[in-house]
Amino acid sequence: QVKLVESGGGLVQAGGSLRLSCAASGLSFGTYTMGWYRQAPGKQRELVASISPLGSTDHADSEKGRFTVSRESAKRTVDLQMNILKPEDTAVYYCRADHWSVSETYWGQGTQVTVSS
């Protein structure tokens, strides 16, 4: 079965950095666009950044310059490097896989990121 497992979350002070990693299994990694989404209390889930099988990326405008998404095909992982973290970055971060040609989407269980002021 398909599994997306996030890791790397935790507690960090404002201005610090974290690197999240999503490990995918049970799917053909190279046929999926991989993305990071987040959901804070009282808010809907929103896109943070994504990367296609060809390497093209999409970032939320507010995070450009601070967050960088990358993928490693051999390890079947997608990472999110987060720098200069702010308290408003506090949320549960979810990994998502979207097939490039058919309607097929999977979500991870999420990892908590908490940024203290």
Side-chain angles (χ1 to χ4, degrees):
Q1 61 192 54
V2 174
K3 278 191 174 182
L4 303 176
V5 181
E6 302 95 335
S7 62
L11 176 65
V12 65
Q13 286 188 283
S17 299
L18 283 175
R19 189 177 184 91
L20 306 183
S21 183
C22 172
S25 62
L27 54 75
S28 183
F29 188 72
T31 63
Y32 287 80
T33 289
M34 305 299 298
W36 285 97
Y37 290 70
R38 68 185 181 189
Q39 187 165 26
K43 300 181 67 177
Q44 68 178 19
R45 196 170 297 183
E46 63 180 4
L47 171 71
V48 178
S50 65
I51 182 167
S52 77
L54 296 179
S56 60
T57 59
D58 186 24
H59 296 81
D61 289 342
S62 62
E63 314 307 335
K64 289 182 178 178
R66 295 196 302 126
F67 292 6
T68 302
V69 65
S70 61
R71 66 191 293 158
E72 298 183 18
S73 297
K75 295 182 178 181
R76 292 180 175 177
T77 59
V78 58
D79 290 359
L80 182 68
Q81 179 66 47
M82 305 187 293
N83 299 321
I84 318 176
L85 284 162
K86 306 173 182 178
E88 49 263 47
D89 294 320
T90 295
V92 177
Y93 284 70
Y94 296 90
C95 181
R96 171 170 145 167
D98 292 281
H99 198 276
W100 71 276
S101 65
V102 300
S103 182
E104 190 173 287
T105 301
Y106 301 96
W107 291 91
Q109 81 288 349
T111 185
Q112 177 71 48
V113 171
T114 303
V115 184
S116 62
S117 60

